[in-house]
Amino acid sequence: MSSLPDGVRSRTVSTDRLETHLLETGRADGDPVVFVHGNASSSRFYAELLADLPDRYRAIAPDLRGYGHSERRPIDATRGLRDFAEDIRALVAEIEIEQPALVGWSTGGGVVMRYAIEQPESVASLALLNPVSPHGYGGTRRDGTPCQPDYAGTGAGMANDDFIERLEAGDRRADSDASPRNVMRSFYLAPETELDPELEDAYVDALLNTETGDDYYPGDATASENWPGVAPGEGGTNNALSPKYLDLTGIVDIDPAVPILWIRGAEDRIISDTSFFDAGYLGKIGELPEWPGEDEYPPQPMVSQTRAVFEEYADAGGEYDELVVEGAGHSPHIEQHDEVLSALTAHLDDATTRIGNS
């Protein structure tokens, strides 16, 4: 493992589900916060944030199954991120944490929403960094209905084969648009973001520690008669994100409601109403041939969908705040560290006060 910031500790915990590697900071008796990373990443992407979090918090950042240094166990996509959420619940129980605040980035945002939907009484608050839409990733209209009956254009079949091959080869170079380093530079970060070279290397190493295959990243795919010719399979992370299996709109009805902080980078190209990983948008800009048009397959309005669901949440008695971080893309906690740390700390402090007064 690459070097970690001062104060960040690393260990592996055995649960009845998984050998889970994690990073942690803070006091053992501090208020617990669990950080869940996104797809094609690991807990290492949180290390600098954990290092600067006040010591009054006990921060835990696990590697999900198939990522980082955690055990490789298959991902059942048909369960819509439940494998990940149940792994986190098993970890929380094993290390005797009660009612943690949950922080989820990208796919991790979907994982913690799933956790809260299925066990709301065990969650103190939610902080979501560029989370996947509650309607899943790709291939839906504004109201969440699928563009194609078999959800064609979503799931593992949309992944870039060259990128996958370079992941498998451990390619650390920057000689191709599909190299992991350049994908991270182009899509995890806003164009103007330049990382310290050593830190960039650490993140590239973490990205490369992604298990690939039909049961991992990106998963398996099936042929489709519908545009663009490929539909989700049943294994792996990208299929678990497909709206065929992932529906997180139940967040509206959780009881008790918890405060939600939604943080998103203004220049995100992954979770966006104009996402460069969405078949509808790629078709619209001419990157996917034979696009059937806006009426049949519009770009998925991911951010607008999320806001609409959170507005329903507020109407039902919950509360949420939306923070748009300028100068940030898909990784605002890395790109605009201080702003995100300040907002996150205020959110966590508020949630802790509420629990103390309840």
Side-chain angles (χ1 to χ4, degrees), residues 3-277:
S3 61
L4 295 170
D6 290 344
V8 179
R9 306 179 297 275
S10 168
R11 63 178 171 128
T12 297
V13 175
S14 297
T15 75
D16 59 1
R17 293 181 57 83
L18 198 70
E19 293 286 318
T20 302
H21 171 263
L22 57 83
L23 302 180
E24 59 186 342
T25 58
R27 304 193 318 260
D29 62 348
D31 296 312
V33 189
V34 177
F35 291 77
V36 183
H37 67 79
N39 200 1
S41 64
S42 78
S43 60
R44 182 61 186 82
F45 283 79
Y46 278 130
E48 284 65 35
L49 194 65
L50 265 60
D52 291 338
L53 200 67
D55 282 345
R56 62 182 175 275
Y57 290 103
R58 180 186 182 186
I60 306 293
D63 290 335
L64 297 174
R65 63 170 61 196
Y67 295 90
H69 299 279
S70 284
E71 185 178 357
R72 272 49 178 150
R73 287 202 177 182
I75 299 154
D76 182 350
T78 68
R79 304 189 71 232
L81 300 180
R82 285 182 177 85
D83 280 352
F84 296 136
E86 290 171 10
D87 290 344
I88 299 296
R89 287 205 295 271
L91 174 66
V92 164
E94 183 66 32
I95 61 179
E96 300 181 336
I97 284 178
E98 296 182 2
Q99 203 175 9
L102 300 179
V103 181
W105 169 41
S106 193
T107 295
V111 174
V112 302
M113 280 192 274
R114 173 66 75 198
Y115 189 119
I117 289 167
E118 299 190 355
Q119 205 168 9
E121 71 283 354
S122 300
V123 177
S125 66
L126 292 176
L128 306 170
L129 306 171
N130 298 69
V132 61
S133 165
H135 291 291
Y137 196 86
T140 61
R141 304 175 187 277
R142 184 172 293 271
D143 64 358
T145 57
C147 297
Q148 305 285 26
D150 61 351
Y151 297 87
T154 72
M158 297 302 297
N160 183 294
D161 290 339
D162 191 9
F163 174 69
I164 295 167
E165 290 175 3
R166 289 170 181 270
L167 272 183
E168 293 171 342
D171 183 4
R172 302 177 80 255
R173 298 170 298 173
D175 62 345
S176 166
D177 289 344
S179 71
R181 186 180 298 273
N182 281 339
V183 168
M184 186 181 75
R185 288 173 175 173
S186 298
F187 295 104
Y188 289 34
L189 309 171
E192 63 271 21
T193 301
E194 291 188 11
L195 298 176
D196 174 87
E198 289 188 9
L199 187 58
E200 180 179 277
D201 284 345
Y203 292 154
V204 170
D205 288 344
L207 196 166
L208 290 173
N209 206 358
T210 297
E211 190 73 13
T212 60
D214 287 352
D215 291 320
Y216 298 98
Y217 174 87
D220 59 330
T222 59
S224 173
E225 295 180 354
N226 299 308
W227 186 85
V230 64
E234 296 185 347
T237 306
N238 288 27
N239 291 324
L241 290 165
S242 166
K244 181 175 183 178
Y245 307 120
L246 186 63
D247 179 358
L248 300 170
T249 57
I251 196 73
V252 169
D253 300 316
I254 64 171
D255 185 17
V258 299
I260 295 175
L261 174 62
W262 174 25
I263 300 175
R264 61 182 185 87
E267 300 177 58
D268 191 0
R269 303 173 75 195
I270 296 177
I271 305 292
S272 169
D273 287 0
T274 54
S275 169
F276 283 80
F277 295 83

Side-chain angles (χ1 to χ4, degrees), residues 239-324:
N239 291 324
L241 290 165
S242 166
K244 181 175 183 178
Y245 307 120
L246 186 63
D247 179 358
L248 300 170
T249 57
I251 196 73
V252 169
D253 300 316
I254 64 171
D255 185 17
V258 299
I260 295 175
L261 174 62
W262 174 25
I263 300 175
R264 61 182 185 87
E267 300 177 58
D268 191 0
R269 303 173 75 195
I270 296 177
I271 305 292
S272 169
D273 287 0
T274 54
S275 169
F276 283 80
F277 295 83
D278 172 55
Y281 183 66
L282 291 174
K284 184 175 182 177
I285 63 174
E287 292 294 323
L288 274 182
E290 301 180 6
W291 179 55
E294 195 99 23
D295 290 341
E296 183 173 333
Y297 208 119
Q300 183 190 13
M302 301 178 186
V303 172
S304 300
Q305 286 178 337
T306 300
R307 186 178 298 110
V309 169
F310 288 168
E311 286 295 326
E312 286 186 49
Y313 181 71
D315 290 343
E319 60 179 86
Y320 85 96
D321 291 311
E322 177 182 356
L323 172 62
V324 180

